[in-house]
Each structure stands twice: as structure tokens, then as C-alpha cells.
């Protein structure tokens, strides 16, 4: 999930910054965004009633994707808030 969000940023909004130092393929942006959205939907399906990804407490399993998603949203990447479990988890960890 996080790799595709970052790659989509490199290939689109971050293109001017990264094109001189890393191989970029702007045509890949829609597919990378689609994969990231698919991973959000997957996480939404597997999450159960716990407030965090692996249970009742905040762990690194929440922090890494939370920070990555926060960056992606700030950078203009897509975040499908129609995934209710992921949307509520994201709101909880960024509160």
C-alpha cells in the first residue's frame, strides 16, 4: 500500500523533483494509484472491530501506513474515503 502511494507521488506531483535523480514513468501514475486504492479496500475488508490494525493499541503496524497515507493526502494523492474502516482508522490515528 505505502510503496504504491509513494511511487505514484514520484511519478506525478513529485516528478519535477525526482526526474533528475531516479527513473520515473509518469504513465504509470494511474495504475499505481489504482493499486494503492485496491490495497486500501483490502485493508478495509480484513479489518475487524478493533480500533487499530492489529488490535486494541497503536503499534508500528498503524504508524507506518498512517504516516504514509497522511503524506499521500497532503501531496494530493487519492484516498478513497468510501472505505469506512480505513477512513475511521485514519481519522483515529491522525487525531
Amino acid at each position: 500500500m505505502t510503496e504504491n502511494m509513494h511511487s505514484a507521488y514520484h511519478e506525478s506531483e513529485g516528478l519535477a523533483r525526482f526526474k533528475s535523480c531516479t527513473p520515473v514513468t509518469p504513465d504509470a501514475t494511474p495504475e499505481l494509484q489504482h493499486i494503492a486504492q485496491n490495497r486500501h479496500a483490502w485493508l478495509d475488508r480484513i479489518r475487524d472491530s478493533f480500533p487499530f490494525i492489529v488490535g486494541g493499541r497503536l503499534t508500528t503496524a498503524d504508524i507506518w501506513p498512517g504516516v504514509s497515507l497522511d503524506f499521500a493526502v497532503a501531496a494530493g494523492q487519492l484516498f478513497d474515503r468510501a472505505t469506512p474502516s480505513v477512513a475511521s482508522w485514519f481519522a483515529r490515528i491522525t487525531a
Side-chain angles (χ1 to χ4, degrees), residues 30-80:
E31 184 62 25
L32 291 167
Q33 290 172 333
H34 173 74
I35 293 168
Q37 292 299 318
N38 179 273
R39 298 296 81 206
H40 294 163
W42 168 80
L43 181 60
D44 195 66
R45 285 191 309 273
I46 67 162
R47 284 198 21 85
D48 37 26
S49 61
F50 295 116
F52 299 104
I53 290 178
V54 292
R57 65 187 180 95
L58 184 71
T59 68
T60 55
D62 299 286
I63 295 168
W64 178 253
V67 167
S68 295
L69 187 54
D70 189 50
F71 168 79
V73 169
Q77 293 297 304
L78 301 173
F79 172 37
D80 182 5

